[in-house]
Amino acid sequence: MDLVQAIILGIVQGATEFIPISSSGHLVLVPWLLGWEDPGLTYDAIVHWGTLLAVLSFFWRDFWEIARNFLSGLVRGQVWGDQTRLGWLLIVGTLPAAVIGLLLESQFEALFGKPQWVALFLMGTGCLLWLSERWRQSGKTLSDMGVPDALVIGFAQALAITPGISRSGSTIAAGLLRGLDRATAARFSFLLMAPIVFGAGAKKTLDLLSAGVDSATLLPVGLGFLAAAFTGYVSIGFLMRYLQRATLHLFAYWCWGFGLFCFVLALWRGG
């Protein structure tokens, strides 16, 4: 991988991890379209840490308050209360993706080498975004959320083990269907994303350490890390502002258009 490719793919990772158009799908389809080789385990592991840095940097006050209140509540014996509730909801919401990811990851890995399937799942993300706007309810805030809401959003996040299914898109859509407004659904989605991105990054890093690190890749992956972190931070800010005044339809159109283009091209190329 040359430096330009590393930066471009870092930008793609940082933007599409948070904008609901599927980072996994774009990281399969963009190199495939451009005829680039798979960036490899080293790059994949490091850019995950870049997107984690982005979400922790943007929401650091939220994470600090959640952790402080959660620990303070437990110390005071309030296992479930106003202070600990949001912490428990994030834990409950994280469990489905963590369990399903550990059990079924290997079954879905083969799909990363099949652009036509990734394109189809990307179009599925578009349908999910569109339908969530059509059927959405409204009225709930984070303080109104309960365990059933967290579980539904958590299972939606678990869908993102499939390349082409957007993690942020599926969780925001589930939040809308459970009655959250767009901005609140996006906030909970990003807070919920951090443990999973951390887990994925940790696993990939352990795999990387067991496989060994090629020193020649350090500069490209470092640039990819910086590109993913910066672009991710900007993308979170953009989406949080955008969803205060607009719908998810724009992202549904992109998933349909880009997915259909790649699907037809994959068929024309013979897969």
Side-chain angles (χ1 to χ4, degrees):
M1 177 188 295
D2 62 34
L3 300 184
V4 173
Q5 292 178 11
I7 293 172
I8 290 174
L9 292 181
I11 291 171
V12 170
Q13 165 71 18
T16 58
E17 183 71 52
F18 302 105
I19 295 176
I21 55 176
S22 178
S23 62
S24 62
H26 281 72
L27 286 179
V28 170
L29 295 174
V30 170
W32 172 75
L33 283 172
L34 298 176
W36 296 349
E37 294 183 3
D38 187 333
L41 177 61
T42 303
Y43 187 86
D44 196 22
I46 299 303
V47 294
H48 267 81
W49 292 115
T51 51
L52 179 63
L53 177 62
V55 73
L56 291 178
S57 298
F58 195 94
F59 291 108
W60 70 268
R61 289 185 180 86
D62 296 73
F63 285 115
W64 170 253
E65 286 299 314
I66 291 168
R68 184 173 66 84
N69 290 336
F70 185 77
L71 293 175
S72 176
L74 291 180
V75 168
R76 295 177 182 179
Q78 299 175 355
V79 177
W80 180 270
D82 291 339
Q83 287 186 301
T84 59
R85 187 184 55 81
L86 185 52
W88 282 120
L89 292 179
L90 291 175
I91 292 171
V92 169
T94 300
L95 290 176
V99 173
I100 292 173
L102 289 173
L103 294 177
L104 300 178
E105 182 182 23
S106 59
Q107 280 81 356
F108 285 86
E109 283 181 349
L111 293 175
F112 283 85
K114 298 179 178 179
Q116 70 274 27
W117 282 103
V118 176
L120 279 175
F121 286 124
L122 186 61
M123 287 188 280
T125 290
C127 293
L128 184 62
L129 297 175
W130 179 271
L131 291 173
S132 69
E133 285 287 356
R134 185 175 180 85
W135 295 337
R136 75 186 183 92
Q137 305 176 41
S138 61
K140 281 185 180 179
T141 65
L142 284 181
S143 60
D144 299 318
M145 284 185 63
V147 170
D149 302 310
L151 277 174
V152 170
I153 297 172
F155 276 106
Q157 180 170 241
L159 294 176
I161 189 176
T162 308
I165 300 295
S166 168
R167 180 185 290 112
S168 60
S170 60
T171 51
I172 292 172
L176 294 182
L177 294 173
R178 294 298 298 180
L180 299 175
D181 62 69
R182 296 186 194 93
T184 303
R187 180 174 292 275
F188 187 76
S189 168
F190 295 147
L191 293 175
L192 188 64
M193 183 184 297
I196 291 298
V197 174
F198 173 80
K203 181 181 182 300
K204 290 177 184 296
T205 300
L206 291 174
D207 294 339
L208 171 62
L209 293 175
S210 64
V213 181
D214 183 357
S215 59
T217 66
L218 293 181
L219 180 57
V221 299
L223 291 174
F225 169 86
L226 293 174
F230 175 77
T231 310
Y233 188 92
V234 172
S235 297
I236 295 172
F238 159 76
L239 191 64
M240 294 299 295
R241 292 189 298 271
Y242 178 86
L243 291 180
Q244 291 177 356
R245 62 182 188 277
T247 70
L248 295 170
H249 290 155
L250 175 63
F251 308 115
Y253 298 145
W254 173 264
C255 291
W256 287 336
F258 187 57
L260 181 60
F261 170 77
C262 291
F263 180 73
V264 172
L265 184 60
L267 292 180
W268 182 68
R269 287 182 177 180

